[in-house]
Amino acid sequence: MRFVLLMAVLLAATAAGAQGAPLTILGTFSHWTAYTLTDAAGKVCYVASEPSATETKAKGRDDVFLMITHRPQKNEFDVLSMKAGYTYQKGSRPTIKIDANRVLSLKSYEDSAWSPNAETDGKLIAQMKKGGKAVVSGTSVRGTKTADTFSLRGLTKALEAADKACERK
């Protein structure tokens, strides 16, 4: 289910851009930007950031984003996902580390990764709100290892904007 949600958000964002559907920027808060759009299932609110540093540049790599998504019509909030900009090696387990906290494994499919469940999302996002940086590491289908560092400055304010737009209580 979480994979379907992640893919739906990515497809909705792509479709919104391609078809001119309204993708609204709610604001940019340091390194994070909050957005909202409406897809067939209803309103979607999300925050996204690009890496502030990348340890390894994978050849032919597309854009990289770390995102947190809300879908109020499905009562789904704080869904953490990563768009790697390359296809992950089949069966690989990308990881995320918030500051000095322990490393957690993510699930992957094609160019996306996400946490295994809502409980893990909640723990990771709580750490992210208090933290300074998140490092997501993965391995491409070509065997290239990457480590993307995301600043967490502005995340809390961006999430507050997304919460308000999606009328999160």
Side-chain angles (χ1 to χ4, degrees):
M1 180 63 190
R2 296 175 59 72
F3 169 71
V4 172
L5 172 66
L6 172 62
M7 296 314 296
V9 169
L10 294 175
L11 289 173
T14 302
Q19 297 173 352
L23 173 67
T24 303
I25 297 174
L26 301 172
T28 298
F29 307 88
S30 193
H31 292 267
W32 288 81
T33 302
Y35 303 88
T36 187
L37 61 89
T38 302
D39 66 9
K43 188 177 249 185
V44 178
C45 302
Y46 65 99
V47 300
S49 182
E50 294 179 293
S52 54
T54 299
E55 197 171 290
T56 306
K57 305 277 188 204
K59 192 173 188 175
R61 193 171 188 191
D62 292 331
D63 293 333
V64 179
F65 296 100
L66 186 60
M67 299 176 284
I68 300 170
T69 305
H70 300 335
R71 287 184 162 275
Q73 286 74 10
K74 295 183 177 186
N75 199 32
E76 295 173 340
F77 295 92
D78 291 338
V79 177
L80 179 73
S81 62
M82 166 82 173
K83 183 179 178 303
Y86 60 78
T87 301
Y88 283 110
Q89 193 172 64
K90 190 171 182 166
S92 71
R93 300 287 294 201
T95 61
I96 186 167
K97 183 175 182 176
I98 313 303
D99 293 330
N101 293 303
R102 78 181 171 103
V103 175
L104 293 171
S105 291
L106 303 173
K107 293 183 176 184
S108 67
Y109 180 76
E110 295 183 357
D111 69 343
S112 300
W114 61 98
S115 71
N117 54 52
E119 181 181 347
T120 303
D121 277 335
K123 289 177 182 177
L124 283 169
I125 292 166
Q127 290 174 6
M128 290 170 72
K129 286 179 177 180
K130 295 175 185 174
K133 68 178 180 180
V135 179
V136 180
S137 300
T139 304
S140 76
V141 71
R142 295 180 181 162
T144 304
K145 294 189 184 308
T146 60
D148 298 302
T149 301
F150 296 85
S151 171
L152 299 176
R153 284 188 49 217
L155 172 63
T156 300
K157 291 286 187 195
L159 278 171
E160 288 170 359
D163 288 349
K164 183 176 179 182
C166 272
E167 300 175 12
R168 185 175 187 188
K169 308 257 187 267

